[in-house]
Amino acid sequence: MRIGKRVFAVLAAATMTVLGMQTPAAASAQDEPTIRQLLDQCERGVPNVCVFHPTSSPQVYRGEYQLAGGARNCSAGNTTRVIRWESSATTTNSVGVTISASVRLGEIFEAGFETSFTQEWSWSSTRADEVRHELGPYQAVDIFAAPMRQRIVGTYEMHFEDRYYGHYYWYVHNVAVDGPAAQPAWDIYVQETDPHC
């Protein structure tokens, strides 16, 4: 009699599958958390362990140049102009979740970065400077400034006390964090332009 019941249960499950019905144990992509959900759990301090592991070395590169200021001389003689400029740069990331010095995810990222490379992460950089430039008759210049930046890629690792979406361990891979480089912080150049006198 037991064998008959077992055969009936198998046939019933097969029939449900053929008819397009899912058994309660069937899994789908919706049974996994999103990156935002995982990082939100980490931000709220839910996992027992939440750490950031860099998987690349910091890559330093120059950001885009932006117009910082300019000067012109519409006279027949030489003149010296003082061109003052100020610019700032902040940290961004590839996951669309706030990772900054003032939130838990940022503190976790910074701890992982500093442990791996024995240097501090620069969250933001503002520079105010001035350039003295001598202009000839009917001459003009523009000053462009570009922030020097650094990029790091890594993984957030999380250990949960209770199963989260069926697992105790979760990882968010390939999180790219991009921020100002410490030294040099900025690169500038001066370019002649039409004075429009």
Side-chain angles (χ1 to χ4, degrees), residues 90-118:
T90 59
T91 295
T92 61
N93 68 77
S94 62
V95 289
V97 177
T98 302
I99 299 176
S100 67
S102 60
V103 300
R104 180 176 168 79
L105 278 176
E107 293 172 357
I108 293 166
F109 162 78
E110 190 169 30
F113 178 81
E114 291 180 4
T115 299
S116 296
F117 304 109
T118 61

PDB file of all heavy atoms in Angstrom, residues 90-118:
ATOM      1  N   THR A  90      33.916  64.300  -5.909  1.00  0.00           N
ATOM      2  CA  THR A  90      33.416  63.409  -4.860  1.00  0.00           C
ATOM      3  C   THR A  90      33.547  61.948  -5.294  1.00  0.00           C
ATOM      4  O   THR A  90      33.970  61.652  -6.405  1.00  0.00           O
ATOM      5  CB  THR A  90      31.943  63.708  -4.541  1.00  0.00           C
ATOM      6  OG1 THR A  90      31.164  63.543  -5.732  1.00  0.00           O
ATOM      7  CG2 THR A  90      31.760  65.128  -4.025  1.00  0.00           C
ATOM      8  N   THR A  91      33.144  61.048  -4.409  1.00  0.00           N
ATOM      9  CA  THR A  91      33.206  59.613  -4.666  1.00  0.00           C
ATOM     10  C   THR A  91      31.897  59.128  -5.280  1.00  0.00           C
ATOM     11  O   THR A  91      30.815  59.532  -4.859  1.00  0.00           O
ATOM     12  CB  THR A  91      33.486  58.852  -3.353  1.00  0.00           C
ATOM     13  OG1 THR A  91      34.785  59.204  -2.885  1.00  0.00           O
ATOM     14  CG2 THR A  91      33.417  57.352  -3.555  1.00  0.00           C
ATOM     15  N   THR A  92      32.011  58.251  -6.283  1.00  0.00           N
ATOM     16  CA  THR A  92      30.842  57.623  -6.902  1.00  0.00           C
ATOM     17  C   THR A  92      31.040  56.102  -6.856  1.00  0.00           C
ATOM     18  O   THR A  92      32.109  55.623  -6.504  1.00  0.00           O
ATOM     19  CB  THR A  92      30.664  58.068  -8.363  1.00  0.00           C
ATOM     20  OG1 THR A  92      31.817  57.673  -9.120  1.00  0.00           O
ATOM     21  CG2 THR A  92      30.508  59.589  -8.460  1.00  0.00           C
ATOM     22  N   ASN A  93      29.993  55.357  -7.227  1.00  0.00           N
ATOM     23  CA  ASN A  93      30.113  53.894  -7.263  1.00  0.00           C
ATOM     24  C   ASN A  93      29.215  53.334  -8.348  1.00  0.00           C
ATOM     25  O   ASN A  93      28.381  54.033  -8.908  1.00  0.00           O
ATOM     26  CB  ASN A  93      29.790  53.279  -5.899  1.00  0.00           C
ATOM     27  CG  ASN A  93      28.334  53.448  -5.540  1.00  0.00           C
ATOM     28  OD1 ASN A  93      27.471  52.736  -6.045  1.00  0.00           O
ATOM     29  ND2 ASN A  93      28.031  54.399  -4.656  1.00  0.00           N
ATOM     30  N   SER A  94      29.398  52.046  -8.628  1.00  0.00           N
ATOM     31  CA  SER A  94      28.713  51.411  -9.752  1.00  0.00           C
ATOM     32  C   SER A  94      27.391  50.751  -9.389  1.00  0.00           C
ATOM     33  O   SER A  94      26.717  50.210 -10.263  1.00  0.00           O
ATOM     34  CB  SER A  94      29.636  50.356 -10.374  1.00  0.00           C
ATOM     35  OG  SER A  94      29.932  49.340  -9.418  1.00  0.00           O
ATOM     36  N   VAL A  95      26.991  50.770  -8.116  1.00  0.00           N
ATOM     37  CA  VAL A  95      25.795  50.025  -7.712  1.00  0.00           C
ATOM     38  C   VAL A  95      24.598  50.924  -7.387  1.00  0.00           C
ATOM     39  O   VAL A  95      23.528  50.426  -7.075  1.00  0.00           O
ATOM     40  CB  VAL A  95      26.094  49.100  -6.500  1.00  0.00           C
ATOM     41  CG1 VAL A  95      26.976  47.950  -6.927  1.00  0.00           C
ATOM     42  CG2 VAL A  95      26.723  49.861  -5.352  1.00  0.00           C
ATOM     43  N   GLY A  96      24.776  52.230  -7.454  1.00  0.00           N
ATOM     44  CA  GLY A  96      23.659  53.131  -7.223  1.00  0.00           C
ATOM     45  C   GLY A  96      23.174  53.185  -5.792  1.00  0.00           C
ATOM     46  O   GLY A  96      22.059  53.611  -5.520  1.00  0.00           O
ATOM     47  N   VAL A  97      23.993  52.729  -4.859  1.00  0.00           N
ATOM     48  CA  VAL A  97      23.671  52.765  -3.433  1.00  0.00           C
ATOM     49  C   VAL A  97      24.680  53.696  -2.770  1.00  0.00           C
ATOM     50  O   VAL A  97      25.846  53.704  -3.134  1.00  0.00           O
ATOM     51  CB  VAL A  97      23.764  51.350  -2.815  1.00  0.00           C
ATOM     52  CG1 VAL A  97      23.510  51.389  -1.327  1.00  0.00           C
ATOM     53  CG2 VAL A  97      22.772  50.412  -3.500  1.00  0.00           C
ATOM     54  N   THR A  98      24.233  54.491  -1.806  1.00  0.00           N
ATOM     55  CA  THR A  98      25.124  55.457  -1.169  1.00  0.00           C
ATOM     56  C   THR A  98      26.277  54.764  -0.455  1.00  0.00           C
ATOM     57  O   THR A  98      26.065  53.969   0.460  1.00  0.00           O
ATOM     58  CB  THR A  98      24.352  56.332  -0.165  1.00  0.00           C
ATOM     59  OG1 THR A  98      23.301  57.002  -0.859  1.00  0.00           O
ATOM     60  CG2 THR A  98      25.270  57.364   0.464  1.00  0.00           C
ATOM     61  N   ILE A  99      27.479  55.050  -0.918  1.00  0.00           N
ATOM     62  CA  ILE A  99      28.694  54.576  -0.254  1.00  0.00           C
ATOM     63  C   ILE A  99      29.536  55.819   0.015  1.00  0.00           C
ATOM     64  O   ILE A  99      30.176  56.355  -0.879  1.00  0.00           O
ATOM     65  CB  ILE A  99      29.472  53.571  -1.131  1.00  0.00           C
ATOM     66  CG1 ILE A  99      28.608  52.349  -1.424  1.00  0.00           C
ATOM     67  CG2 ILE A  99      30.769  53.144  -0.450  1.00  0.00           C
ATOM     68  CD1 ILE A  99      29.255  51.337  -2.367  1.00  0.00           C
ATOM     69  N   SER A 100      29.464  56.307   1.240  1.00  0.00           N
ATOM     70  CA  SER A 100      30.177  57.531   1.588  1.00  0.00           C
ATOM     71  C   SER A 100      30.728  57.405   3.006  1.00  0.00           C
ATOM     72  O   SER A 100      30.434  56.444   3.720  1.00  0.00           O
ATOM     73  CB  SER A 100      29.245  58.745   1.501  1.00  0.00           C
ATOM     74  OG  SER A 100      28.243  58.682   2.505  1.00  0.00           O
ATOM     75  N   ALA A 101      31.504  58.395   3.407  1.00  0.00           N
ATOM     76  CA  ALA A 101      32.148  58.351   4.724  1.00  0.00           C
ATOM     77  C   ALA A 101      31.126  58.379   5.859  1.00  0.00           C
ATOM     78  O   ALA A 101      31.424  57.954   6.973  1.00  0.00           O
ATOM     79  CB  ALA A 101      33.118  59.520   4.858  1.00  0.00           C
ATOM     80  N   SER A 102      29.918  58.870   5.581  1.00  0.00           N
ATOM     81  CA  SER A 102      28.936  59.056   6.650  1.00  0.00           C
ATOM     82  C   SER A 102      27.972  57.886   6.819  1.00  0.00           C
ATOM     83  O   SER A 102      27.064  57.950   7.643  1.00  0.00           O
ATOM     84  CB  SER A 102      28.141  60.341   6.387  1.00  0.00           C
ATOM     85  OG  SER A 102      27.454  60.250   5.143  1.00  0.00           O
ATOM     86  N   VAL A 103      28.128  56.817   6.032  1.00  0.00           N
ATOM     87  CA  VAL A 103      27.225  55.681   6.153  1.00  0.00           C
ATOM     88  C   VAL A 103      28.024  54.401   6.429  1.00  0.00           C
ATOM     89  O   VAL A 103      29.225  54.339   6.175  1.00  0.00           O
ATOM     90  CB  VAL A 103      26.349  55.486   4.883  1.00  0.00           C
ATOM     91  CG1 VAL A 103      25.503  56.719   4.620  1.00  0.00           C
ATOM     92  CG2 VAL A 103      27.210  55.152   3.668  1.00  0.00           C
ATOM     93  N   ARG A 104      27.329  53.382   6.926  1.00  0.00           N
ATOM     94  CA  ARG A 104      27.980  52.126   7.306  1.00  0.00           C
ATOM     95  C   ARG A 104      28.696  51.456   6.129  1.00  0.00           C
ATOM     96  O   ARG A 104      29.813  50.951   6.268  1.00  0.00           O
ATOM     97  CB  ARG A 104      26.934  51.190   7.917  1.00  0.00           C
ATOM     98  CG  ARG A 104      27.470  49.844   8.346  1.00  0.00           C
ATOM     99  CD  ARG A 104      26.375  49.025   9.024  1.00  0.00           C
ATOM    100  NE  ARG A 104      26.764  47.632   9.191  1.00  0.00           N
ATOM    101  CZ  ARG A 104      27.576  47.186  10.149  1.00  0.00           C
ATOM    102  NH1 ARG A 104      28.079  48.041  11.023  1.00  0.00           N
ATOM    103  NH2 ARG A 104      27.883  45.909  10.230  1.00  0.00           N
ATOM    104  N   LEU A 105      28.045  51.440   4.956  1.00  0.00           N
ATOM    105  CA  LEU A 105      28.677  50.823   3.788  1.00  0.00           C
ATOM    106  C   LEU A 105      30.007  51.498   3.455  1.00  0.00           C
ATOM    107  O   LEU A 105      30.954  50.842   3.028  1.00  0.00           O
ATOM    108  CB  LEU A 105      27.747  50.902   2.573  1.00  0.00           C
ATOM    109  CG  LEU A 105      26.657  49.847   2.468  1.00  0.00           C
ATOM    110  CD1 LEU A 105      25.762  50.132   1.275  1.00  0.00           C
ATOM    111  CD2 LEU A 105      27.240  48.453   2.375  1.00  0.00           C
ATOM    112  N   GLY A 106      30.052  52.812   3.631  1.00  0.00           N
ATOM    113  CA  GLY A 106      31.289  53.546   3.390  1.00  0.00           C
ATOM    114  C   GLY A 106      32.363  53.192   4.405  1.00  0.00           C
ATOM    115  O   GLY A 106      33.540  53.055   4.058  1.00  0.00           O
ATOM    116  N   GLU A 107      31.976  53.060   5.655  1.00  0.00           N
ATOM    117  CA  GLU A 107      32.935  52.690   6.702  1.00  0.00           C
ATOM    118  C   GLU A 107      33.511  51.297   6.437  1.00  0.00           C
ATOM    119  O   GLU A 107      34.703  51.062   6.613  1.00  0.00           O
ATOM    120  CB  GLU A 107      32.245  52.715   8.073  1.00  0.00           C
ATOM    121  CG  GLU A 107      31.823  54.105   8.516  1.00  0.00           C
ATOM    122  CD  GLU A 107      30.967  54.087   9.770  1.00  0.00           C
ATOM    123  OE1 GLU A 107      30.651  52.968  10.258  1.00  0.00           O
ATOM    124  OE2 GLU A 107      30.607  55.170  10.254  1.00  0.00           O
ATOM    125  N   ILE A 108      32.638  50.375   5.998  1.00  0.00           N
ATOM    126  CA  ILE A 108      33.085  49.019   5.692  1.00  0.00           C
ATOM    127  C   ILE A 108      34.024  49.027   4.490  1.00  0.00           C
ATOM    128  O   ILE A 108      35.065  48.359   4.495  1.00  0.00           O
ATOM    129  CB  ILE A 108      31.863  48.108   5.444  1.00  0.00           C
ATOM    130  CG1 ILE A 108      31.077  47.940   6.739  1.00  0.00           C
ATOM    131  CG2 ILE A 108      32.286  46.758   4.873  1.00  0.00           C
ATOM    132  CD1 ILE A 108      29.698  47.351   6.555  1.00  0.00           C
ATOM    133  N   PHE A 109      33.654  49.798   3.451  1.00  0.00           N
ATOM    134  CA  PHE A 109      34.521  49.910   2.277  1.00  0.00           C
ATOM    135  C   PHE A 109      35.879  50.486   2.666  1.00  0.00           C
ATOM    136  O   PHE A 109      36.929  49.966   2.279  1.00  0.00           O
ATOM    137  CB  PHE A 109      33.864  50.808   1.224  1.00  0.00           C
ATOM    138  CG  PHE A 109      34.826  51.322   0.200  1.00  0.00           C
ATOM    139  CD1 PHE A 109      35.259  50.509  -0.839  1.00  0.00           C
ATOM    140  CD2 PHE A 109      35.340  52.609   0.295  1.00  0.00           C
ATOM    141  CE1 PHE A 109      36.174  50.976  -1.775  1.00  0.00           C
ATOM    142  CE2 PHE A 109      36.258  53.084  -0.633  1.00  0.00           C
ATOM    143  CZ  PHE A 109      36.675  52.267  -1.671  1.00  0.00           C
ATOM    144  N   GLU A 110      35.855  51.567   3.445  1.00  0.00           N
ATOM    145  CA  GLU A 110      37.101  52.235   3.824  1.00  0.00           C
ATOM    146  C   GLU A 110      38.004  51.311   4.641  1.00  0.00           C
ATOM    147  O   GLU A 110      39.224  51.282   4.446  1.00  0.00           O
ATOM    148  CB  GLU A 110      36.785  53.510   4.618  1.00  0.00           C
ATOM    149  CG  GLU A 110      37.982  54.397   4.842  1.00  0.00           C
ATOM    150  CD  GLU A 110      37.579  55.758   5.388  1.00  0.00           C
ATOM    151  OE1 GLU A 110      36.557  55.847   6.093  1.00  0.00           O
ATOM    152  OE2 GLU A 110      38.282  56.738   5.092  1.00  0.00           O
ATOM    153  N   ALA A 111      37.417  50.534   5.548  1.00  0.00           N
ATOM    154  CA  ALA A 111      38.202  49.599   6.363  1.00  0.00           C
ATOM    155  C   ALA A 111      38.883  48.560   5.478  1.00  0.00           C
ATOM    156  O   ALA A 111      40.070  48.243   5.655  1.00  0.00           O
ATOM    157  CB  ALA A 111      37.314  48.920   7.399  1.00  0.00           C
ATOM    158  N   GLY A 112      38.154  48.028   4.501  1.00  0.00           N
ATOM    159  CA  GLY A 112      38.738  47.048   3.587  1.00  0.00           C
ATOM    160  C   GLY A 112      39.829  47.639   2.728  1.00  0.00           C
ATOM    161  O   GLY A 112      40.868  47.012   2.479  1.00  0.00           O
ATOM    162  N   PHE A 113      39.612  48.879   2.277  1.00  0.00           N
ATOM    163  CA  PHE A 113      40.605  49.554   1.434  1.00  0.00           C
ATOM    164  C   PHE A 113      41.877  49.840   2.226  1.00  0.00           C
ATOM    165  O   PHE A 113      42.987  49.565   1.764  1.00  0.00           O
ATOM    166  CB  PHE A 113      40.013  50.862   0.895  1.00  0.00           C
ATOM    167  CG  PHE A 113      40.969  51.658   0.045  1.00  0.00           C
ATOM    168  CD1 PHE A 113      41.159  51.336  -1.290  1.00  0.00           C
ATOM    169  CD2 PHE A 113      41.679  52.710   0.583  1.00  0.00           C
ATOM    170  CE1 PHE A 113      42.046  52.068  -2.077  1.00  0.00           C
ATOM    171  CE2 PHE A 113      42.566  53.448  -0.189  1.00  0.00           C
ATOM    172  CZ  PHE A 113      42.750  53.130  -1.528  1.00  0.00           C
ATOM    173  N   GLU A 114      41.719  50.392   3.427  1.00  0.00           N
ATOM    174  CA  GLU A 114      42.884  50.756   4.238  1.00  0.00           C
ATOM    175  C   GLU A 114      43.666  49.520   4.686  1.00  0.00           C
ATOM    176  O   GLU A 114      44.899  49.539   4.733  1.00  0.00           O
ATOM    177  CB  GLU A 114      42.449  51.589   5.446  1.00  0.00           C
ATOM    178  CG  GLU A 114      41.944  52.967   5.068  1.00  0.00           C
ATOM    179  CD  GLU A 114      41.519  53.799   6.258  1.00  0.00           C
ATOM    180  OE1 GLU A 114      41.676  53.336   7.410  1.00  0.00           O
ATOM    181  OE2 GLU A 114      41.009  54.909   6.038  1.00  0.00           O
ATOM    182  N   THR A 115      42.968  48.435   4.996  1.00  0.00           N
ATOM    183  CA  THR A 115      43.647  47.207   5.394  1.00  0.00           C
ATOM    184  C   THR A 115      44.469  46.640   4.239  1.00  0.00           C
ATOM    185  O   THR A 115      45.593  46.168   4.432  1.00  0.00           O
ATOM    186  CB  THR A 115      42.626  46.154   5.867  1.00  0.00           C
ATOM    187  OG1 THR A 115      41.912  46.666   6.992  1.00  0.00           O
ATOM    188  CG2 THR A 115      43.307  44.853   6.250  1.00  0.00           C
ATOM    189  N   SER A 116      43.927  46.701   3.037  1.00  0.00           N
ATOM    190  CA  SER A 116      44.600  46.122   1.879  1.00  0.00           C
ATOM    191  C   SER A 116      45.768  46.967   1.380  1.00  0.00           C
ATOM    192  O   SER A 116      46.780  46.424   0.930  1.00  0.00           O
ATOM    193  CB  SER A 116      43.602  45.917   0.730  1.00  0.00           C
ATOM    194  OG  SER A 116      42.609  44.983   1.098  1.00  0.00           O
ATOM    195  N   PHE A 117      45.639  48.298   1.459  1.00  0.00           N
ATOM    196  CA  PHE A 117      46.636  49.155   0.810  1.00  0.00           C
ATOM    197  C   PHE A 117      47.343  50.113   1.779  1.00  0.00           C
ATOM    198  O   PHE A 117      48.138  50.948   1.346  1.00  0.00           O
ATOM    199  CB  PHE A 117      45.975  49.948  -0.320  1.00  0.00           C
ATOM    200  CG  PHE A 117      45.295  49.069  -1.330  1.00  0.00           C
ATOM    201  CD1 PHE A 117      43.909  49.009  -1.409  1.00  0.00           C
ATOM    202  CD2 PHE A 117      46.035  48.248  -2.175  1.00  0.00           C
ATOM    203  CE1 PHE A 117      43.282  48.190  -2.328  1.00  0.00           C
ATOM    204  CE2 PHE A 117      45.408  47.425  -3.094  1.00  0.00           C
ATOM    205  CZ  PHE A 117      44.030  47.383  -3.167  1.00  0.00           C
ATOM    206  N   THR A 118      47.034  50.017   3.060  1.00  0.00           N
ATOM    207  CA  THR A 118      47.640  50.866   4.098  1.00  0.00           C
ATOM    208  C   THR A 118      47.669  52.333   3.692  1.00  0.00           C
ATOM    209  O   THR A 118      48.679  53.021   3.829  1.00  0.00           O
ATOM    210  CB  THR A 118      49.071  50.387   4.460  1.00  0.00           C
ATOM    211  OG1 THR A 118      49.916  50.458   3.297  1.00  0.00           O
ATOM    212  CG2 THR A 118      49.047  48.973   5.014  1.00  0.00           C
TER     213      THR A 118
END
